[in-house]
Amino acid sequence: MTPSPHSLPARERAALADLLDEVGPDAPTCCEGWTTAHLAAHLAVRDRRPDALPGYGLEMLPGGERLAWWSHKLEERLRTRTSYAEVVQQVRTGPPAWSPMALPAAARAFNVAEFAIHHEDVRRAQPGWEPRQLPREEQDQLWSGLALHARRAAGRRGLVLRRSDVPGVERRLGEGGRTVTGEPLELMLWASGRRDVARVAVT
């Protein structure tokens, strides 16, 4: 069973593929050192190479650098040996049926944040960008998918993430630390390290 084409990850994937086609392979992104060609290769490898997945999920753990090295090698091989248009088409069509990333549960767990963040990585690196106004339902899904990035951002100091669009809703990790207020998409960008472009208030 493949993920629904009407799901939030599927819509973000389609919009990102359209944008990648529009801006071309040499456009900047919010990922330091990456052009749109690098970003497209990353997403295509993630979909199609299960042997690359540990390098994305475990790179922060001891020994994870070697796993990340292999994942990045696969991305670079795809980027340099395959036309940009073909790589973007791979991003657009998504993972093949045999890939773990084709499972609906995997799409819900890993792709909500992945494609929303990388869509904004391209959008917000272009001149004249403005924040998108997402429906409440989509913001709720992003809020639910925020946990992993929030834990990484909190570290040992603690963190409070507070929704600005829904009064009284917050997520507290640890004791003390900063309070960051914004819409879920903005909080997700901040927690994942895109702090220069995230529209949040930090206290």
Side-chain angles (χ1 to χ4, degrees):
M1 181 178 178
T2 58
S4 167
H6 305 297
S7 67
L8 177 57
R11 293 196 299 272
E12 290 293 305
R13 178 191 290 275
L16 173 55
D18 287 345
L19 185 55
L20 290 170
D21 273 336
E22 177 185 335
V23 300
D26 300 317
T29 74
C30 294
C31 300
E32 184 177 357
W34 275 13
T35 65
T36 40
H38 292 91
L39 181 56
H42 162 71
L43 292 170
V45 165
R46 183 177 176 274
D47 278 341
R48 287 168 165 74
R49 293 294 302 255
D51 55 327
L53 296 178
Y56 303 134
L58 304 176
E59 60 183 332
M60 304 299 291
L61 299 179
E65 300 86 355
R66 297 184 65 182
L67 298 171
W69 172 85
W70 176 246
S71 303
H72 297 321
K73 182 176 180 178
L74 294 174
E75 294 169 2
E76 190 66 6
R77 183 185 299 170
L78 180 65
R79 184 183 70 85
T80 57
R81 298 183 183 181
T82 308
S83 73
Y84 177 73
E86 184 177 343
V87 176
V88 174
Q89 184 60 22
Q90 290 181 16
V91 175
R92 185 183 300 281
T93 57
W98 49 260
S99 170
M101 299 307 293
L103 298 172
R108 288 192 299 271
F110 303 115
N111 284 350
V112 170
E114 183 79 7
F115 282 92
I117 289 171
H118 285 321
H119 187 190
E120 295 300 324
D121 280 336
V122 180
R123 287 189 71 255
R124 299 190 185 206
Q126 313 312 314
W129 69 271
E130 292 290 338
R132 289 185 288 160
Q133 301 299 314
L134 299 181
R136 167 71 181 274
E137 177 187 356
E138 294 186 3
Q139 294 283 15
D140 288 346
Q141 290 183 58
L142 293 169
W143 178 252
S144 298
L146 187 54
L148 176 60
H149 293 291
R151 286 195 296 270
R152 287 181 177 176
R156 296 180 179 179
R157 295 182 298 174
L159 179 68
V160 178
L161 298 177
R162 180 173 295 156
R163 291 186 67 162
S164 61
D165 57 330
V166 183
V169 176
E170 65 181 30
R171 177 172 285 137
R172 184 177 297 273
L173 297 99
E175 298 295 331
R178 290 170 287 186
T179 296
V180 185
T181 304
E183 294 183 349
L185 177 57
E186 305 300 325
L187 294 172
M188 184 169 282
L189 291 169
W190 185 91
S192 64
R194 281 77 172 171
R195 298 182 182 182
D196 290 343
V197 296
R199 297 287 180 87
V200 298
V202 182
T203 57

